Structure formats: structure tokens, C-alpha cells
Amino acid sequence: MNARDNCIFCKIVAGQLPSRKVYEDDDMVAFHDIHPKAPVHLLVVPKSHVDSLADCGAGEGEVLARMLLKVPELARAAGCTNGFRTVINTGPEGGQVIYHLHLHVLGGPRHEWKGTLP
Ligand code: 5GP
Ligand code: ZN
């Protein structure tokens, strides 16, 4: 069985699971985290399944760059007027729970992010 057959984020990308989407293009989807750790907590995921940052190669370079470059616009549109934080958890000791690469975007007024890493 293919890894993506049971992948929550592949199902969100395919519209088979609901999500609060804020952005979508040919490469990526961005949606609200179901358990927000800050007033703004978005996830940005590539449409094409890759398990983690550690599994990325040159072939993922362009989409990774596009995702990262989209973040400021998404953060601003979500209400982050004074900065934001980006996090990519990778592997068991990196705290990764969902094995479909994703980028966290966290922000919002006065959110106490220390000790509340996603
Ligand atoms: P990780 O710990 O793998 O870096 O982050 C996974 C994130 O996905 C967590 O912040 C968790 O709250 C979020 N998450 C897990 N399942 C779902 C879901 O079904 N929908 C949404 N929108 N977020 C999810
Ligand atoms: Zn997936």
C-alpha cells in the first residue's frame, strides 16, 4: 500500500477530508491547524506527498521554495500584522506526528510561543 493512501494531509489535499482552507494553487494547500497553538496557526502542505523534510531532494526544491515564499502573504492575510513563526517538525525526535511534509505558520497578538511549540 502506498504511504499516501492513509495520509490525512493527502486526503485534505484531495478534498476527501474537510479543512478550513485559506489558500490553494497547483503546488500547495494551506489550511488552519485543527488544534491551534497560537491565535493564528496555519499548515502549508505540498500537494505531492513526501514524508518529511528529511526525504526531500533536489526534486522538491522548487515547491519548498514556493511554499516558503508564500508564507508571509498567508500570515498577513490571516492577521499576523507584527511577525510570525515558521516551524517544520522532522522525524520522531523532531516531534513530527503527521508524515506528510508540512510547514507550521504561527502568530497573532501576544501569543506566548515559548514552550508551546507545535
Ligand atoms: P506535526 O506534529 O506533525 O508537525 O504537526 C501535525 C499538525 O497537524 C498538528 O499541529 C495537528 O494539530 C495537525 N492536525 C492533525 N490532524 C489534523 C486534521 O485532521 N486537520 C487539520 N487541519 N490539522 C490536523
Ligand atoms: Zn500525504
Side-chain angles (χ1 to χ4, degrees):
M1 184 164 63
N2 199 309
R4 64 204 68 197
D5 290 341
N6 260 324
C7 172
I8 288 178
F9 289 172
C10 279
K11 288 185 175 158
I12 286 177
V13 165
Q16 292 161 358
L17 277 180
S19 71
R20 290 172 58 213
K21 268 184 205 170
V22 295
Y23 180 77
E24 177 169 10
D25 65 20
D26 288 346
D27 298 314
M28 72 190 93
V29 176
F31 49 90
H32 289 274
D33 195 291
I34 204 165
H35 297 304
K37 309 284 190 305
V40 173
H41 188 172
L42 303 177
L43 300 172
V44 187
V45 312
K47 283 191 167 176
S48 179
H49 181 99
V50 56
D51 281 358
S52 79
L53 187 60
D55 299 290
C56 289
E60 282 73 39
E62 270 193 38
V63 71
L64 277 170
R66 287 201 193 108
M67 286 166 58
L68 207 50
L69 290 169
K70 185 55 71 176
V71 167
E73 177 189 323
L74 297 176
R76 259 195 315 273
C80 300
T81 52
N82 201 20
F84 54 86
R85 184 163 57 106
T86 50
V87 175
I88 303 177
N89 296 324
T90 304
E93 293 188 2
Q96 187 173 4
V97 174
I98 308 276
Y99 279 78
H100 177 132
L101 173 69
H102 55 281
L103 198 152
H104 296 260
V105 181
L106 298 115
R110 298 190 330 218
H111 84 276
E112 307 266 337
W113 60 268
K114 285 184 182 169
T116 60
L117 284 165

